[in-house]
Amino acid sequence: MDNNELLSQIALMLESQSKQIAQMQEQLQEHTHQVQEQLQEHTHQVQEQLQEHTHQMQEQLQEHTHQVQEQLQEHTRQVQEQLQEHTRQIDGRVGEYIRQVDEKLDEHTRQLKGEMAGYRLDLASMMEDHTHEIKLYVENNVTKKINALCDGFQMLRDEQKGIKTDIQKHDSQIDDLQVRVSVLENKSAT
């Protein structure tokens, strides 16, 4: 075999290998193109899923916020109704107590007037005694009732403060949730 034949065979082999390499490059390009398309499709799907998840989270957050606000409004309404009911009860009790005191004062006055006819000499002493008794009775009972009313109003005020604290906690939780959603939206945007 001479050099020309050897060179010719080498040239044929190189040409065959060049064709194989060209085919492999085409296959590699085709495969790379397919992988890029799959990656783009997968990236698109992930972005859509992320957007859908973010949308669902926002809807859930809005629904939860709405529910919390409704619960707070209902709780506030119930507390206001209870406060109004307590106020009505207290007003009724005070009115009844005043009526009873008036009746007792009227009764004592009538007794004093009846006794004045028979006991003119002791009238001043008796009037002082009865007036003192009436004042003590009124002062003691009214003081007790007023103290009880003050305690009731103080308890209601404390309940309102507790409700305000609860509302502030819920507002803080809502703010935290809104910050989290904002962070999620920022992350999904990037």
Side-chain angles (χ1 to χ4, degrees):
M1 188 183 280
D2 65 1
N3 283 340
N4 287 336
E5 288 178 11
L6 184 60
L7 287 173
S8 177
Q9 286 181 355
I10 290 173
L12 287 174
M13 285 174 37
L14 286 173
E15 186 179 333
S16 173
Q17 286 181 353
S18 293
K19 288 180 182 177
Q20 288 177 353
I21 289 171
Q23 288 176 351
M24 289 174 65
Q25 285 177 338
E26 287 178 8
Q27 290 175 353
L28 180 61
Q29 287 176 349
E30 179 64 26
H31 184 70
T32 302
H33 182 67
Q34 290 175 354
V35 167
Q36 286 175 340
E37 287 179 348
Q38 290 174 356
L39 180 61
Q40 287 175 348
E41 178 63 25
H42 183 68
T43 302
H44 181 69
Q45 289 174 355
V46 167
Q47 286 175 341
E48 286 180 349
Q49 290 173 354
L50 184 59
Q51 287 174 348
E52 178 62 24
H53 182 69
T54 301
H55 181 69
Q56 289 174 355
M57 290 286 289
Q58 287 173 338
E59 287 179 349
Q60 290 174 358
L61 178 62
Q62 288 174 350
E63 178 62 25
H64 181 68
T65 301
H66 182 67
Q67 289 174 355
V68 167
Q69 288 173 342
E70 285 180 348
Q71 290 171 354
L72 286 174
Q73 288 173 349
E74 177 62 21
H75 188 64
T76 301
R77 186 190 61 75
Q78 289 174 355
V79 168
Q80 287 174 341
E81 286 178 358
Q82 290 174 356
L83 182 61
Q84 288 173 353
E85 180 60 27
H86 285 306
T87 302
R88 280 193 296 272
Q89 289 175 358
I90 289 168
D91 288 346
R93 290 177 188 162
V94 168
E96 177 62 22
Y97 181 72
I98 290 172
R99 187 190 60 75
Q100 290 175 358
V101 168
D102 286 344
E103 287 178 359
K104 288 184 180 182
L105 283 172
D106 289 345
E107 179 64 27
H108 283 295
T109 303
R110 280 192 297 273
Q111 287 176 358
L112 287 173
K113 285 180 180 178
E115 292 173 1
M116 277 175 35
Y119 302 101
R120 289 190 181 263
L121 296 175
D122 298 323
L123 180 61
S125 174
M126 288 174 63
M127 291 221 17
E128 282 183 27
D129 291 342
H130 283 296
T131 303
H132 182 67
E133 288 175 12
I134 290 169
K135 284 182 180 178
L136 286 177
Y137 177 79
V138 170
E139 286 175 2
N140 289 336
N141 289 325
V142 168
T143 301
K144 287 178 187 176
K145 295 290 181 177
I146 288 174
N147 288 340
L149 290 174
C150 289
D151 291 342
F153 280 123
Q154 184 62 41
M155 286 173 50
L156 288 174
R157 249 187 263 136
D158 292 343
E159 283 183 19
Q160 283 182 330
K161 286 180 184 176
I163 290 169
K164 285 181 182 177
T165 301
D166 289 343
I167 290 171
Q168 289 173 348
K169 285 180 184 177
H170 287 301
D171 286 343
S172 175
Q173 289 174 352
I174 289 169
D175 290 341
D176 288 343
L177 289 173
Q178 289 174 341
V179 169
R180 289 181 185 172
V181 167
S182 177
V183 169
L184 285 175
E185 288 175 344
N186 290 339
K187 284 185 179 178
S188 68
T190 59

